[in-house]
Amino acid sequence: QVYKLGSIGRAVDVARFKNYVELRAELSRMFGLDGQLDQRNGWQLVFVDKENDLLLVGDDPWEEFVSSVRGIRILSPSEVSYYTSDERSAEIV
């Protein structure tokens, strides 16, 4: 499942893609984020793996990602800012 705040979750079979570029392109199209779903624009893709860890999409080799992903979340620039802010980091510790 892929989730984005304010949108209905959508099922995606990540195994049908060859790489992260194809996955990002399809998710951009599905959620109306054409040209915006890359790190330069502040949008981030994160995923939950089989161990319930939250990781950035693209950090692992593609094959490892495909075998371990349980869910994907599209974070808006404001969500990214919230999760990476110093105040939020202090709350987590």
Side-chain angles (χ1 to χ4, degrees):
Q1 282 284 46
V2 180
Y3 300 95
K4 176 181 167 273
L5 188 63
S7 297
I8 296 173
R10 305 204 181 154
V12 173
D13 179 7
V14 296
R16 74 179 197 150
F17 302 104
K18 294 178 186 173
N19 54 43
Y20 289 115
V21 173
E22 288 184 5
L23 175 63
R24 283 182 187 278
E26 178 63 12
L27 295 180
S28 292
R29 186 195 64 74
M30 287 175 71
F31 287 92
L33 296 170
D34 293 327
Q36 300 178 54
L37 192 54
D38 61 40
Q39 295 178 2
R40 292 183 310 249
N41 291 321
W43 290 87
Q44 293 282 333
L45 285 176
V46 295
F47 75 100
V48 176
D49 68 4
K50 291 179 180 179
E51 297 171 356
N52 280 338
D53 292 327
L54 188 64
L55 306 163
L56 283 173
V57 169
D59 280 357
D60 294 331
W62 175 252
E63 296 78 17
E64 189 176 321
F65 166 76
V66 171
S67 68
S68 67
V69 64
R70 290 183 53 206
I72 298 173
R73 177 120 190 245
I74 301 172
L75 299 180
S76 69
S78 61
E79 288 174 298
V80 171
S81 177
Y82 173 77
Y83 287 116
T84 60
S85 71
D86 290 335
E87 295 83 22
R88 178 69 180 147
S89 296
E91 289 176 19
I92 294 171
V93 176

